[in-house]
Structures are given as C-alpha cells and as structure tokens.
Amino acid sequence: MINITERPAEADDRAVPGHWEGDLIVGKNNLSAIGTLVERTTGYTMLVHLPDGYKAEQVRDALTEKIKTIPEILRASLTWDQGAEMGAWKEVSVAADIDIYSVTHTHPGNAAPVRTPTDCCANTSPRAPTSPSTALSTSTGSPPSSTTDPANA
C-alpha cells in the first residue's frame, strides 16, 4: 500500500472535502464486521455492509460498491490501516477510482497514534451522559416546548 506520508497535504489539514478514512469494526467473537468510511472535512460517515464476512475479497467488493456511490469529485483519497481485509486494495483503487493510502499506528517521528475513523467520531461527536452526575440539565429545569403541542399553538 502507499504510505500515508505520500497522501496530499490537503487531506491533513481537512480543508478540502473528499479525503476519507476507513476502518473495520469486528463484532463479538469475530463473527461479524462492518466497514466505516468517514469523510475527513465534514465527518460524514458511511457504513459498509459486510453480510458475508470480512475477508479481502468480500471487503473489496463491498467497499468498491460503496465508494462508487460517492460523487467522483469527493473521491480524492482513502486512508486505511494495513489489515488483512485490505489485501485487495489495488483492485478497490482501480475499480472505484480512488487513491488508497496505508497507515500504521505511528508515523516515523510521531509518537501519537494515528486517529482511526472510530477515534475521529468519538473525539468529535458529543457523548451521551454516562451517569446522572454527568447528565446535561436545562437552564429552566423544564422540558423544551413543542410546536406540535396544541397548548403551544
């Protein structure tokens, strides 16, 4: 795979849409998986359905079809780790007309881990309260009004 260090600089600063990060989320006991595609500028996320498994050939076919649904102007690059599921990355790159870059957990000279799409989403999306002490409260203490409630009409 082409190393992430060769990815265009515009992908790093997140100023230009069309650069994607992908990852594989594996379910309990490795029995299921789903692919993720996160656009780096907007955070727009697409899920890649993998009903038949997540071997390289299965990921190749599902990922190619999903990427083809993205307008060509928004298919600048895809960055993915070097997992076995991306063994057919060249075929995806050619069939879906997208440059694919690989990532390792750290860059040479960079001690910080590379953010995966799930890290990206977790770090930029609000989290649900995990306990009563962290629950958000409203300033009035009352629920928000509804425009569909006849009493508010």
Side-chain angles (χ1 to χ4, degrees), residues 25-117:
I25 300 173
V26 179
K28 186 176 180 179
N29 297 324
N30 298 323
L31 297 176
S32 62
I34 192 160
T36 61
L37 292 171
V38 179
E39 201 283 320
R40 290 176 53 83
T41 300
T42 63
Y44 181 79
T45 301
M46 298 173 69
L47 301 178
V48 181
H49 187 54
L50 297 166
D52 301 319
Y54 54 98
K55 291 183 179 175
E57 299 78 21
Q58 295 156 328
V59 171
R60 175 199 61 209
D61 296 344
L63 190 56
T64 298
E65 289 309 307
K66 183 59 80 171
I67 292 171
K68 285 182 174 182
T69 68
I70 301 169
E72 285 185 40
I73 196 164
L74 296 176
R75 284 191 237 161
S77 73
L78 170 62
T79 302
W80 201 288
D81 63 24
Q82 296 179 357
E85 75 275 6
M86 285 300 283
W89 71 272
K90 285 183 184 178
E91 295 170 52
V92 175
S93 180
V94 170
D97 192 26
I98 191 168
D99 293 330
I100 299 179
Y101 298 90
S102 70
V103 63
T104 56
H105 291 289
T106 58
H107 292 78
N110 181 1
V114 175
R115 290 173 55 181
T116 64

Side-chain angles (χ1 to χ4, degrees), residues 136-147:
L136 299 175
S137 62
T138 60
S139 59
T140 62
S142 61
S145 63
S146 170
T147 56

